Amino acid sequence: MKSAVETLNPTRVRLTVEVPFEELKDSLDAAYKKINQQVTVKGFRKGKIPARVIDQRFGRGAVLEEAVNDALPKLYTEAVNEAELNPLGQPEVDITELKDNELLSFTAEVDVRPTIEIPDYSGIEVEVDAVEVTDEDVEKSVQQLRDRFASTSPVERAAEDGDVVTIDLEAKVDGEVLEDGVAKDVSYTIGSGELLDGIDDAVKGLSAGEEATFTSELKGGSAAGREAEVTVKVTQVAARELPELDDEFAQLASEFDTLEELKADSRKRLANMKQYDQATQAQERVLDKLLELVEVPVPEKLLEDEINTRKHNLEHHQLAQMGLTLDRYLEIQGKTAEEFETETREAAIKGIKTQFVLDELVNKEKLNVNQEELTEHLMRRAASSGMSPDQFAQAVVEGGQVPMLVGEVARGKALALVVEAATVKDTNGEIVDLDDEEESEEAETSTDASAEATEATEEKPEA
C-alpha cells in the first residue's frame, strides 16, 4: 500500500491511498464467504457455492463492493498511522479507481488536530480581586444564620413584609383553572421572591380568611411562560421572631460558646471562600492569557458539532427540566437570537482551543495521571452528575470513557503548571501565593468545565 498526505488547510488533510489488489485477498475471501451464507443456488449446499458461480449468478461487482467495504476501515487506519495523523471525526472517503485484479485507489478527507507551538508562558501576569473580609460581610453571614433559627407565631393582624403566611393558590389561564394550577397550605415568607411575581403586593394587607387576585407569568408547570390570573387566599399570618444575637444564640447555632467565637469562625470561612474564588479567577484569567499567546486554528466541522451539542443540551436538557423554551429563556435573559448565536459560537471556539492547547501542554511536559488522581477526579465528576461513584464508574467503563477522564485530569495538571509559572497579583498590588492544593483543585474544576464545553469531541457517560 502506498499513501500520500496533502494538507488542505491547517486543520484538514486529504489522504491518497493506492492498494495493490493482492492486499485485498483476505477481504475478497471474506466477501465470498459472507455472500455464501446469504444466498441459495440450486445444486449447491449452503455455504459451499464456488466463487466462479457467485460471480456468474450475482456479478463480480457485488463481490468487489463487499470486499472494498470490508477493507476500507483497516486501510484508512493504516494510512492514518503511517502518516502519524491525529484525525477528528469521520473521514469523507471517495473511491477514485477500482481495477479488478489490479488496483484500488481512494482518497479520504478528514479534520485533524492542528500543529500548535506552545510559547514560553512564564511571563504571564494577571490581576485578581484581593481577599478582603469586612465587618459588614461577617455581620451579613451571622444574620443569615440568625434567619435560619427564626421562629414563627400566629398573629391576629394583616400580613406585613417578613411575615410567614400560609396560603392557597389557584391559577387560571383563559378563564380555565389549570390541572396543576391549584396548591393548598403553601408556606411563604413575604419579600423572599420565591413564588410568583406580584404575590408580595397581593398578600400584604390581607388577614387570615381574606383573598386577592393578581396576574403573573407562570414560571413552571404546564403553562410555563404564560400570563395567568392567580387567586391567593391567606389562611394564616405568622410573625417571624429572630433570636437575640448573644452567646446563647452562638451555642444554639454552632459549636462555639460565645458570639465572638462564632463571628471569628464566620470571618475565617468567608476568607476561605474568597480565596477559593480568587484562585478560580486566577486560573480563568491565566487560561485566557495563555490562549491569547497561541495561534489555534479550529476545524469548522468540529466547531459546528460543538455548537449544535451546546444548543441541544441547553434546549433539551437544562431548559426542558425548568419547563422553558429557548425563546422564553432568551426573553428572560434579555438576549436576541443573534446575540445567543454569537455567544454560543464564541464559547464553543474557546472550549475547543482550550482542549487543544492543554492537550499539547500535556504532551510537551510529558504529564502522566496516576490511579489516585483518576479516582479523585471520578469522585468529583460523580458528585456533580448526581450519581454514586460506583454508578458513575460503571457508566464510564461500559461507555469506554476511561481515556476521556484521564484526559480531563491531565489537562487539569497542565493548566496547574501554567498557573504556577504565572505572576498573579491582587488589586492591592500584592503577589498572590496559590498553594499546590488550591491550584490542583482549581485546575481540576477548570478542565471539568472545558471537557463539558467540548462534548462534540468526546462522548460522555450516560446515566
Side-chain angles (χ1 to χ4, degrees):
M1 184 183 76
K2 293 192 303 182
S3 63
V5 180
E6 176 187 358
T7 300
L8 304 178
N9 62 49
T11 62
R12 193 165 180 84
V13 299
R14 179 189 291 123
L15 278 166
T16 300
V17 184
E18 292 185 358
V19 185
F21 209 79
E22 56 265 24
E23 294 186 24
L24 296 177
K25 183 180 183 306
D26 289 345
S27 293
L28 275 170
D29 291 343
Y32 278 116
K33 184 176 181 179
K34 182 176 180 181
I35 294 173
N36 242 306
Q37 299 300 321
Q38 295 175 338
V39 301
T40 301
V41 176
K42 189 176 181 179
F44 296 94
R45 286 183 297 165
K46 195 174 186 65
K48 299 296 184 179
I49 307 169
R52 59 178 175 78
V53 175
I54 290 177
D55 290 345
Q56 292 169 357
R57 290 293 187 95
F58 306 101
R60 175 72 166 176
V63 179
L64 290 177
E65 181 179 357
E66 182 67 38
V68 169
N69 288 339
D70 176 76
L72 275 178
K74 180 182 178 182
L75 295 171
Y76 166 73
T77 300
E78 289 178 358
V80 164
N81 292 338
E82 184 178 300
E84 297 182 343
L85 299 176
N86 292 308
L88 299 167
Q90 297 300 312
E92 295 179 5
V93 177
D94 181 29
I95 297 174
T96 56
E97 189 174 10
L98 178 57
K99 291 183 179 180
D100 195 0
N101 291 313
E102 291 186 32
L103 182 73
L104 165 66
S105 297
F106 68 91
T107 62
E109 289 191 16
V110 67
D111 287 332
V112 293
R113 281 180 177 265
T115 300
I116 299 174
E117 293 294 331
I118 303 295
D120 179 13
Y121 48 80
S122 61
I124 290 178
E125 294 187 11
V126 297
E127 183 180 76
V128 295
D129 295 335
V131 174
E132 296 175 343
V133 180
T134 66
D135 291 342
E136 184 180 350
D137 292 332
V138 175
E139 292 301 325
K140 183 179 178 181
S141 175
V142 173
Q143 186 60 48
Q144 289 172 344
L145 181 62
R146 186 188 184 198
D147 288 340
R148 296 213 305 268
F149 282 84
S151 60
T152 59
S153 57
V155 291
E156 298 295 330
R157 60 166 172 77
E160 302 173 354
D161 261 329
D163 284 344
V164 178
V165 290
T166 303
I167 55 177
D168 297 336
L169 294 165
E170 181 183 84
K172 294 181 180 179
V173 173
D174 298 331
E176 297 290 332
V177 178
L178 299 171
E179 289 186 9
D180 55 355
V182 178
K184 299 287 187 181
D185 296 326
V186 177
S187 180
Y188 175 67
T189 302
I190 300 176
S192 66
E194 294 174 350
L195 281 178
L196 300 168
D197 293 337
I199 194 170
D200 288 336
D201 291 335
V203 298
K204 278 190 292 187
L206 297 183
S207 298
E210 296 180 335
E211 64 181 46
T213 300
F214 64 102
T215 58
S216 182
E217 185 176 289
L218 299 179
K219 296 180 180 180
S222 61
R226 298 184 65 184
E227 286 287 331
E229 181 183 86
V230 182
T231 299
V232 55
K233 181 179 180 180
V234 176
T235 59
Q236 178 180 276
V237 179
R240 296 176 73 247
E241 298 176 358
L242 296 172
E244 291 293 328
L245 279 179
D246 52 23
D247 292 346
E248 187 176 339
F249 167 71
Q251 295 164 19
L252 170 69
S254 71
E255 70 272 28
F256 301 105
D257 294 326
T258 68
L259 182 61
E260 287 307 310
E261 289 175 330
L262 173 60
K263 288 184 176 181
D265 180 69
S266 295
R267 186 179 296 275
K268 181 180 179 181
R269 286 188 297 102
L270 289 171
N272 289 338
M273 290 171 58
K274 292 196 174 188
Q275 285 172 350
Y276 184 92
D277 291 342
Q278 185 189 64
T280 300
Q281 193 178 64
Q283 160 257 311
E284 290 173 349
R285 293 183 178 179
V286 167
L287 176 60
D288 287 341
K289 288 283 189 180
L290 176 63
L291 294 180
E292 290 175 7
L293 294 176
V294 187
E295 186 68 30
V296 187
V298 176
E300 194 59 37
K301 178 64 168 59
L302 181 65
L303 178 57
E304 290 176 11
D305 289 344
E306 175 67 0
I307 292 172
N308 290 334
T309 297
R310 286 169 177 265
K311 290 180 179 177
H312 178 85
N313 287 343
L314 175 65
E315 191 167 1
H316 298 282
H317 296 291
Q318 295 164 266
L319 297 184
Q321 291 176 355
M322 295 186 287
L324 293 176
T325 64
L326 180 59
D327 289 341
R328 178 56 187 150
Y329 167 75
L330 295 179
E331 184 181 337
I332 294 172
Q333 295 292 313
K335 295 178 183 177
T336 65
E338 291 75 17
E339 289 171 335
F340 171 71
E341 291 287 340
T342 299
E343 289 180 5
T344 303
R345 183 178 182 85
E346 290 175 351
I349 289 173
K350 181 178 179 181
I352 292 171
K353 287 185 174 181
T354 296
Q355 184 168 339
F356 284 171
V357 170
L358 294 183
D359 283 346
E360 184 60 32
L361 264 171
V362 169
N363 293 331
K364 179 181 179 181
E365 302 293 347
K366 296 180 174 57
L367 300 177
N368 295 312
V369 175
N370 61 42
Q371 185 61 48
E372 182 181 356
E373 292 167 334
L374 182 60
T375 300
E376 289 177 358
H377 182 60
L378 186 147
M379 299 283 282
R380 287 192 180 96
R381 290 295 304 275
S384 65
S385 70
M387 301 169 67
S388 72
D390 287 344
Q391 288 175 325
F392 188 81
Q394 183 178 354
V396 167
V397 172
E398 291 179 353
Q401 303 301 310
V402 173
M404 176 269 293
L405 283 188
V406 172
E408 290 177 7
V409 178
R411 285 191 287 274
K413 296 178 72 171
L415 183 53
L417 280 180
V418 183
V419 174
E420 184 178 0
T423 299
V424 181
K425 294 183 179 180
D426 65 20
T427 49
N428 294 327
E430 298 292 330
I431 296 290
V432 177
D433 181 21
L434 302 172
D435 64 46
D436 292 342
E437 182 177 353
E438 286 176 334
E439 268 184 37
S440 175
E441 289 181 359
E442 293 309 321
E444 183 99 13
T445 302
S446 168
T447 44
D448 284 351
S450 68
E452 290 164 5
T454 51
E455 288 177 345
T457 62
E458 294 179 340
E459 296 179 358
K460 299 292 170 191
E462 297 180 356

